[in-house]
Amino acid sequence: MSEISAGNAAGAGAGADDGGGGGGGGGDAEYDVAVIGYGPTGVTAANLLGATGLRVVVLERDAEVYSRARAISTDEEVMRIWQRIGLADRLKQDMLADRPLDFVDARGRAFLSAHPTPRGHGHPPQMFLYQPALEQVLRDGVARHPNVEVWLRHECLRLRQDADGVELTVVGTADDSVRRLRARYVIAADGGSSLTRAQLNVGYEGRTYEDRWVVIDTKMLKPWPDHDRLRFRCDPARPAVDCPTPLGHHRWEFPILPGDDERHLTTDEAIHAMVSRYGIGPDQIEILRATVYSHHVRFAARFRVGRVFLAGDAAHAMPPWIGQGMAAGVRDVANLCWKLDAVLRGELPESVLDSYEAERKPHVKEVTRRAVFVGRIITDRRLAVTRVRDAVLPLLNRVPGVAGRLQDSNWIPVAHYADGFRDRPRTKSSGITFGTRASDAGTGAATSRTGSARTGTSRTRASRTTAPGHQIPQPWVTAPDGSRVRLDDVLGGRWLLLHGALPTPQPEWERAGVPSLTVLPAGSSPAEGAVVDCDGVLRAWLTHHRATTLALRPDAYVYAAAPAGTPLPPPPEGLALTPRATTASAPPMATPSPASPTSSALPASPAAKGTP
């Protein structure tokens, strides 16, 4: 029988064997959104959409969480997204935070060291993870949402779009049963070999590198010096990645060189021989699995085809060197899901969905470019080049200004959506900002398909602010009830006017139903409709960007901004908020105490139970 479950049962990953589709398997069941794929991208989408109250179905061809650990790290911005679904603190229980990073030469000497520097998202800037455990927690999170059905061991064989939605023909891989369902929209997060992308005839442009790498997951039996330090071993004879991972694991990665026997290189004998070069003996690690991977640089020609959206590896693939493959997929659905929710509720026009690709693709391309560059530093095998690298980088490390840039491991470019919902977002790799025309900041997604864009080229006082397009920081604040919380827990994933001083009336935004929140200086008493900026972080950010009033999107990016006493540019065309039965955030998962790796309120991950 097929494995289909409602949200309450889906979290454990095996689904209820009811054969009837949980109310969704018989005829043409109707959903707001169908999510194809239940890896990190798909399961994050299921949590985000589940918290909105929309009716969601998830299709996954496998029966369980994929056992091989692929991603090994994430960053503070992704943790901020997982905070929005109430899972950040639980996930961090199974992570290692703030570990140093070294690039070392053939003799093991560090020629460049980097330390993660926070960017203000309210979480550690870098965390190492064990992906099977992470995915299990995310799946457990979906169990909070009875409006989400998870169909394990089901694969979508065909998509057919019409004016009102998408018909999906689904086969149960356990019993070859065939079902049909309908969804208003589809998120395809079904990986680099996406069947959905193939059905849509969307090209996957780019290249696959000739080098193949053996990726080895081990269990650490006896620790060794600096076992919790990430090292890129830039040895031209055979580069390597030597990476700590939590829950007693450790990751090694080695290239398959010309003349190597690929099958032999995945044997225990060959693996122990390779790690012995670094003083690691057979009594110190247990080899759990070894898999060969190729590195890819690819982008889907389109991220959207009608009512179907590609996300994660289905939309793009990048080398692993800066740990952003999984993170990019999580950012994709964080950008897309709130827009789908707004369109389905009639709060924004359907044309806003065009901004998904316009905003995400440039950022993904820049992140990929950075990953390729770092990979060249690590993997170059030309002796003359590596000698120059090993000699020059330590010298640059002593130059004021240059040293700070080299040692700060925040090589990930910051997304900057300068044009609101227009189709020309730009990506900035630093905190440098630039002005935005008032007409741009207040224009809807690609204006509209009927060409009803607001126009205007004159620069107004509002154009002097540099805040539009940036995501605001997330400091600790004092909420109206006096509790100390992270800012996003008060923002609540909604459109919001944020005032840094006495609020200036904003009649157009107020008519659209957008609520207001005032930021009070540190030391102020808690007050209704206000938060206290405990450490002065947010008010300093507003001053830096010459803004007093912000119009925030649900993802905490600034849609529009204005200096003191100045009205904001108008809201997006058609914005009209509706009362919500639920908020955009989900209740937090129970967090195990530090003394205990598990909690009765949360099933332990397989890794936490000791299962490799």
Side-chain angles (χ1 to χ4, degrees):
M1 300 292 285
S2 302
E3 297 182 59
I4 305 175
S5 65
N8 311 14
D17 189 3
D18 63 13
D28 289 357
E30 297 278 350
Y31 299 91
D32 293 309
V33 182
V35 179
I36 303 174
Y38 207 34
T41 300
V43 72
T44 299
N47 275 286
L48 288 165
L49 293 168
T52 68
L54 297 175
R55 191 172 184 202
V56 180
V57 62
V58 181
L59 307 174
E60 168 57 47
R61 66 185 177 186
D62 294 330
E64 299 175 340
V65 170
Y66 192 60
S67 63
R68 294 173 182 168
R70 291 145 289 161
I72 54 175
S73 70
T74 193
D75 60 53
E76 59 188 300
E77 184 185 351
V78 172
M79 290 307 304
R80 186 174 180 178
I81 293 168
W82 286 332
Q83 178 193 332
R84 284 166 50 191
I85 58 176
L87 298 179
D89 289 334
R90 172 61 186 91
L91 287 166
K92 286 192 290 189
Q93 289 287 323
D94 293 340
M95 294 182 178
L96 300 175
D98 298 335
R99 294 305 192 266
L101 180 158
D102 291 330
F103 291 80
V104 302
D105 62 19
R107 288 185 281 181
R109 300 175 305 182
F111 60 83
L112 177 63
S113 296
H115 304 276
T117 303
R119 282 180 165 171
H121 292 288
H123 298 279
Q126 183 184 52
M127 284 147 287
F128 293 105
L129 56 90
Y130 185 63
Q131 186 172 338
L134 176 136
E135 288 192 40
Q136 188 61 61
V137 172
L138 291 172
R139 290 191 180 194
D140 292 337
V142 176
R144 299 167 297 171
H145 306 297
N147 51 307
V148 180
E149 294 179 19
V150 180
W151 296 21
L152 301 177
R153 304 183 72 183
H154 282 77
E155 190 165 16
C156 178
L157 295 184
R158 188 183 73 169
L159 296 171
R160 188 176 68 182
Q161 301 192 54
D162 55 40
D164 300 316
V166 186
E167 180 185 87
L168 297 86
T169 301
V170 180
V171 63
T173 59
D175 59 4
D176 294 327
S177 60
V178 177
R179 294 174 168 85
R180 287 190 306 275
L181 62 89
R182 285 187 60 83
R184 298 280 301 281
Y185 294 98
V186 174
I187 299 174
D190 49 346
S193 57
S194 169
L195 178 60
T196 308
R197 189 184 62 241
Q199 291 182 64
L200 297 172
N201 292 317
V202 174
Y204 203 41
E205 303 157 355
R207 60 173 291 196
T208 296
Y209 285 81
E210 293 180 5
D211 291 346
R212 288 164 62 79
W213 285 66
V214 57
V215 176
I216 304 148
D217 287 313
T218 68
K219 182 178 180 181
M220 189 169 59
L221 303 177
K222 295 180 182 178
W224 53 90
D226 293 331
H227 65 86
D228 59 350
R229 194 178 190 96
L230 170 61
R231 289 185 180 87
F232 290 119
R233 298 186 178 274
C234 307
D235 183 351
R238 189 187 295 273
V241 178
D242 174 357
C243 181
T245 49
L247 302 173
H249 296 84
H250 200 88
R251 163 74 66 83
W252 301 86
E253 300 180 14
F254 298 96
I256 298 172
L257 303 179
D260 283 340
D261 181 336
E262 183 174 304
R263 286 180 296 180
H264 174 69
L265 216 59
T266 61
T267 64
D268 287 7
E269 176 188 1
I271 292 168
H272 282 301
M274 288 189 290
V275 302
S276 68
R277 299 177 60 193
Y278 310 116
I280 310 302
D283 61 332
Q284 292 178 283
I285 59 171
E286 175 189 342
I287 298 167
L288 301 178
R289 58 190 65 84
T291 309
V292 174
Y293 286 106
S294 296
H295 295 164
H296 307 274
V297 174
R298 296 189 179 276
F299 305 97
R302 290 182 289 169
F303 286 13
R304 178 187 186 185
V305 179
R307 292 176 173 269
V308 182
F309 299 85
L310 302 175
D313 288 353
H316 43 75
M318 69 182 71
W321 305 117
I322 58 175
Q324 286 295 299
M326 178 187 70
V330 173
R331 288 185 176 93
D332 287 346
V333 292
N335 183 284
L336 176 61
C337 285
W338 72 263
K339 296 173 183 176
L340 285 172
D341 179 46
V343 170
L344 285 163
R345 295 182 184 279
E347 296 179 346
L348 282 171
E350 197 267 349
S351 58
V352 73
L353 299 176
D354 290 335
S355 68
Y356 164 60
E357 177 179 337
E359 292 187 340
R360 287 298 305 140
K361 197 169 190 177
H363 183 245
V364 169
K365 284 192 170 185
E366 178 62 17
V367 172
T368 304
R369 188 186 70 81
R370 298 293 185 87
V372 171
F373 175 75
V374 173
R376 287 173 181 158
I377 296 175
I378 298 166
T379 64
D380 204 307
R381 300 186 62 229
R382 295 169 294 176
L383 287 176
V385 173
T386 58
R387 285 170 181 161
V388 171
R389 176 200 65 195
D390 298 351
V392 170
L393 283 178
L395 295 176
L396 292 176
N397 230 353
R398 301 191 187 107
V399 178
V402 177
R405 292 178 66 92
L406 290 175
Q407 294 169 13
D408 179 355
S409 66
N410 281 326
W411 303 311
I412 304 160
V414 176
H416 183 251
Y417 306 140
D419 294 320
F421 291 137
R422 294 178 67 89
D423 59 357
R424 297 186 305 277
R426 288 171 279 186
T427 300
K428 284 289 178 181
S429 59
S430 69
I432 300 172
T433 58
F434 50 88
T436 302
R437 293 184 308 171
S439 57
D440 285 351
T443 306
T447 62
S448 87
R449 292 201 175 108
T450 60
S452 60
R454 297 184 177 97
T455 59
T457 58
S458 62
R459 300 185 65 84
T460 67
R461 288 186 64 193
S463 69
R464 299 174 191 168
T465 176
T466 57
H470 287 284
Q471 191 175 34
I472 64 171
Q474 184 189 207
W476 288 93
V477 298
T478 302
D481 64 2
S483 60
R484 180 179 167 87
V485 298
R486 296 185 181 96
L487 177 64
D488 286 4
D489 293 340
V490 180
L491 300 183
R494 54 186 172 157
W495 285 93
L496 191 71
L497 298 182
L498 198 66
H499 301 278
L502 187 66
T504 299
Q506 306 291 341
E508 286 192 82
W509 289 88
E510 292 159 8
R511 282 195 296 271
V514 179
S516 292
L517 189 70
T518 300
V519 181
L520 301 176
S524 302
S525 300
E528 192 65 31
V531 294
V532 179
D533 188 7
C534 301
D535 302 312
V537 171
L538 191 53
R539 290 176 64 87
W541 189 91
L542 291 168
T543 300
H544 174 74
H545 288 284
R546 301 189 296 277
T548 300
T549 304
L550 305 178
L552 295 180
R553 306 181 341 174
D555 55 1
Y557 278 85
V558 179
Y559 179 84
T566 302
L568 287 166
E573 193 75 45
L575 179 66
L577 303 188
T578 58
R580 300 291 184 109
T582 60
T583 66
S585 59
M589 297 282 280
T591 303
S593 66
S596 172
T598 62
S599 166
S600 59
L602 176 65
S605 66
K609 294 177 181 177
T611 303

